């Protein structure tokens, strides 16, 4: 389904989370996708009235993904192997209003890879969730809507693509 003006984006209808391709059970009701921020530095000098915060194309700040769990469940513990990368995939059905009167759905897929940085076992309280969490330092993220890759960043392999276009090709040709 191509992006058109006939649809009004509304909400995520439902989603699932997968660890190494296996459905994760017990993940909390929401997952916040990490912010993607380019590294930057101040530029100032003759011809510049003040200071500019200049991004360095293709260089990114730390990206952390926290996954919260209702209780301590095997999926949380399965992420804790220090010798293996953690592969996460979030798949969602995005609900959109069709201006012609109905509803349509768009797929969302977020693929992430990284290493576990923190593990929070949570709390024990009668009749309440434990709020356990695992935090992963991401080295890879790819976001796709309806099969169209919107962004791909692979820090360890020098990949930065926007809508499938290699944003670093020009830089690599010069070095």
């Amino acid at each position: 389904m191509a992006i058109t003006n006939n649809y009004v984006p509304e909400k995520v209808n439902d989603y699932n989370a997968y660890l190494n391709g296996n459905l994760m059970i017990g993940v909390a009701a929401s997952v916040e996708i990490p912010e993607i921020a380019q590294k930057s530095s101040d530029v100032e000098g003759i011809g510049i009235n003040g200071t500019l915060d200049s991004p360095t194309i293709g260089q990114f700040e730390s990206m952390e993904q926290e996954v919260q769990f209702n209780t301590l469940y095997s999926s949380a513990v399965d992420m804790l192997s220090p010798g293996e990368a953690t592969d996460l995939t979030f798949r969602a059905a995005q609900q959109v209003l069709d201006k012609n009167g109905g509803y349509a759905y768009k797929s969302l897929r977020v693929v992430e890879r990284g290493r576990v940085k923190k593990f929070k076992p949570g709390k024990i309280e009668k009749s309440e969730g434990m709020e356990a969490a695992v935090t992963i330092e991401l080295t890879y993220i790819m976001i796709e809507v309806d099969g169209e890759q919107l962004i791909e960043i692979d820090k360890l392999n020098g990949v930065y693509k926007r809508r499938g276009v290699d944003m670093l090709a020009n830089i690599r040709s010069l070095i």
Side-chain angles (χ1 to χ4, degrees):
M1 183 183 315
I3 296 174
T4 72
N5 291 332
N6 291 332
Y7 298 111
V8 178
E10 284 193 340
K11 63 186 109 185
V12 169
N13 184 289
D14 203 358
Y15 88 102
N16 276 323
Y18 300 86
L19 174 62
N20 301 322
N22 299 311
L23 180 64
M24 294 170 65
I25 303 296
V27 174
S30 68
V31 174
E32 187 168 332
I33 305 303
E35 178 178 82
I36 298 171
Q38 293 190 73
K39 292 185 73 135
S40 63
S41 57
D42 287 344
V43 176
E44 56 186 321
I46 295 173
I48 300 172
N49 291 343
T51 305
L52 296 174
D53 188 18
S54 172
T56 304
I57 307 303
Q59 302 295 315
F60 296 92
E61 299 287 344
S62 171
M63 294 182 288
E64 289 185 352
Q65 177 64 67
E66 182 180 82
V67 180
Q68 295 180 346
F69 295 88
N70 296 326
T71 63
L72 275 180
Y73 199 73
S74 61
S75 294
V77 177
D78 288 346
M79 296 172 141
L80 299 179
S81 176
E84 298 175 15
T86 298
D87 290 313
L88 293 173
T89 301
F90 302 103
R91 291 183 175 271
Q94 298 181 99
Q95 182 174 308
V96 296
L97 174 64
D98 184 333
K99 288 182 180 179
N100 295 322
Y103 282 100
Y105 300 92
K106 296 179 143 303
S107 67
L108 170 68
R109 183 170 73 119
V110 179
V111 177
E112 302 173 342
R113 188 169 33 258
R115 298 171 302 177
V116 171
K117 187 174 178 175
K118 291 188 245 177
F119 172 55
K120 181 176 96 174
K123 64 179 180 171
I124 298 175
E125 183 177 342
K126 185 176 178 179
S127 300
E128 297 295 328
M130 290 183 70
E131 300 174 8
V134 173
T135 302
I136 299 162
E137 175 67 25
L138 297 183
T139 57
Y140 178 88
I141 187 167
M142 189 275 297
I143 301 173
E144 174 184 278
V145 173
D146 273 355
E148 179 186 359
Q149 187 182 86
L150 301 181
I151 191 150
E152 181 181 29
I153 297 167
D154 186 340
K155 288 183 169 186
L156 301 180
N157 291 298
V159 174
Y160 172 32
K161 293 181 182 176
R162 186 190 61 85
R163 291 186 179 253
V165 176
D166 184 350
M167 304 305 290
L168 302 177
N170 204 12
I171 294 169
R172 276 195 305 279
S173 73
L174 298 171
I175 56 176

